[in-house]
Amino acid sequence: MSRIAVVCAYNPRNSGMYSVDLAARRFFSALGLEHELCVTQGRTRVAALRYRLVRSAEDLRGFGSVVYWGDFLNNPMWGAGDYAQREVSRYRANDPLEGFENWRALYLRAASSLPNSTRIFSFGGCFMGMDSALEGASVRGAMREFVQRASAVVVRDPLSFEALSRLDGSQSKVSLGFDCASLMAERSPSSFRGRYFAHSFNRSLGDEASRALVAAVERETGLSGIAVDWLFARWPKRVLHARFALNLSLMRHARFCLTDTYHFAINSMTQGTLPLCVVRDEPAVSSTLNEVKKMALLSMVGLDAALLRVPGETMQPASASDLTAAAQDTARIVARLGLNGGWRTGFDQRQADLRAQLRRCFA
């Protein structure tokens, strides 16, 4: 079978994105498929992974398939925001509009520059928040053409499925999958659990609130809280993969994981450990760092009860009483769900279904 270009998201050296890309390497290698990880911006080396830099559709010629792997890659909200800004700051685009056009050429219109025999896939993509970007007829048309040209679009959550179904008017190409990071490992729950919980915060709670919450959870549970440095930008490059593996081990042997970060929660599940996830108020989905995606993730695996709602908007102060209530909820949830692994049923099913969906595309 011909080579596969696996287009990955820009990684600012963070463990969540690294886990998504490791899952790609693991998935395609397990199938014995020749593939190459690619990025269109940024680093071509992150820890144990190497990438080809792709800056135009021409760079994708010679591949039999192009797979857009995970995250918000084909979502114009990401194209007009994060991607366009990096084009201006790092790749000399004149303005964000030019940066957005660069994104559109690579993420929506690349197929029109490639041979008709080139198969196009989008796996595990999130399309939340794209509605405002689709108000322009040209962007809406390009999105529709992308979906029609693709061999399959497997989205990671029900809200993305609904958004693309409204756009396309047909569900023939679009199906509901799960997050690609779930394919990184198949681990049964650990038989050994330390007297601690692992935690990481940087999306919804500021430093002061997160420290207060951890202290309150320690009091309520009698366990120690061990911090996990999930955004590894400060680590020396030579130890990135080893530190990442150590973090996963800490998560695997914890009684539970406590976080406000999406990919920390899903990696907790891959390690067989119950995640409890803080969510806060959000008026609308306006960026890739939104609260709704965390709620969608836990709802998909039947863990709505593991959401800890702390009043107030993201990164705003939280009252002592609200944090105490969240800590009490944490203790109750852990006591109810326990360590028997029964909560994993939903995750295991989603993981297996996604793997089967993607395998069928390359049968």
Side-chain angles (χ1 to χ4, degrees), residues 336-350:
R336 184 165 71 251
L337 297 179
L339 299 177
N340 60 15
W343 62 268
R344 278 184 60 94
T345 302
F347 173 79
D348 288 343
Q349 188 61 60
R350 291 287 185 183

Side-chain angles (χ1 to χ4, degrees), residues 72 77 128-130 282-288 290-293:
F72 289 74
M77 178 182 69
M128 294 180 188
M130 72 174 184
E282 188 173 48
V285 175
S286 58
S287 77
T288 60
N290 65 76
E291 299 296 278
V292 176
K293 67 181 185 181

Side-chain angles (χ1 to χ4, degrees), residues 32 41 68 143 151 156 170 321 325:
Q41 292 177 324
Y68 295 98
M143 278 292 302
S151 296
R156 82 181 189 190
S170 167
S321 61

Side-chain angles (χ1 to χ4, degrees), residues 1-4 33-34 62-65:
M1 183 174 287
S2 56
R3 288 191 309 149
I4 301 167
L33 298 175
E34 185 180 358
F63 290 98
S65 299

